[in-house]
Amino acid sequence: MATIMFVDDEAGIRNALKRLFADSPHNVLVAASAAEGLEHLRANTCAVIVSDNQMPGESGIEFLYKARQLAPDTLRVMMTAYADLGTALNAINHCEAYRFVVKPWDNQELVELVNNCVLRFELLNSLRLKDEAIYSSLARAIELKDHYTRGHSDRVVEFSMALGRRLGLPPDTMIHLQHGAMLHDCGKIGVPEAVLNFPGKLDSDQMDIIRKHPDWGGEVAQAAGMHQTTVNIILYHHEYYNGQGYPTGLAGDDIPLEARIVAVADVYDALLSDRPYRKALPPDVALREFLAMSGTVLDPLLVKNFIEIVNEKKLEDGVA
Ligand SMILES: [Fe+2]
């Protein structure tokens, strides 16, 4: 159970926030001042702090600055009575506030923000353990959340490793490739399940939420000190070879090789799997669609190598 803390000098606000999170799975702490908040923070590991700015004694900015020294991983959210750009910038620069909320807050938005902070905090701490068994259980958790991709990360690992071996990647890189392939969708932990499993065409707002997962995951992996190759895979696995992908629009060889490898494996498996919006494609149709993406979505040289691996495997299995 994660611990979350709200700091506000007004009792009415503290009570409203306590009520709002009463049914949440989190342990909720409240504090009436910066001093009380710091006391809580010394005694508890908090995933997220939401603090008012204008309080008697130390301000919210001063409090969050001290909180950052004391518990650097705890996510800091600043809440003020009015949209004050100066305060917001100060909070972001001075105490690296993760978000800024204006009162009166929107209940649903605040709950979503706090839940998102908790997920980010938990993912960061898991990745930091640098333990393959934990990476693997994270991959399982993502598959459970994104119902239609059961076994997906194992297959993406298998396909990526086969391609990496064929290209003669050095052993170190193969390890980072394996971790990146396993965790490529770790940013989906931050995407609501209702959006991930939406049984139809997504609208542009839903698309925007889904499109955040590489950035969200890459940023957490970076903060957790994962190897740059692994971070690059998480961050760039949806870039297109022609530069039309996301999140950055990198093109061609500017996309790190390992991310291009995982993109090939990810797309190939997605075409052969059921998705929320369509059933799995028959193998010949999937193969045609896959080849049609060569040079646009996917690196053509990698597609060529991958098809050779698939054909060799068929020969081995006696299918062809
Ligand atoms: Fe993805």
Side-chain angles (χ1 to χ4, degrees), residues 152 184-186 188 210 213-214 234 237-238 246 266:
H152 172 67
H184 69 281
D185 268 343
C186 68
K188 282 192 177 167
I210 293 249
H213 80 270
I234 298 169
H237 73 276
H238 284 292
Y246 61 92
D266 191 24

Side-chain angles (χ1 to χ4, degrees), residues 69 251 277:
Q69 325 284 111
Y277 47 88

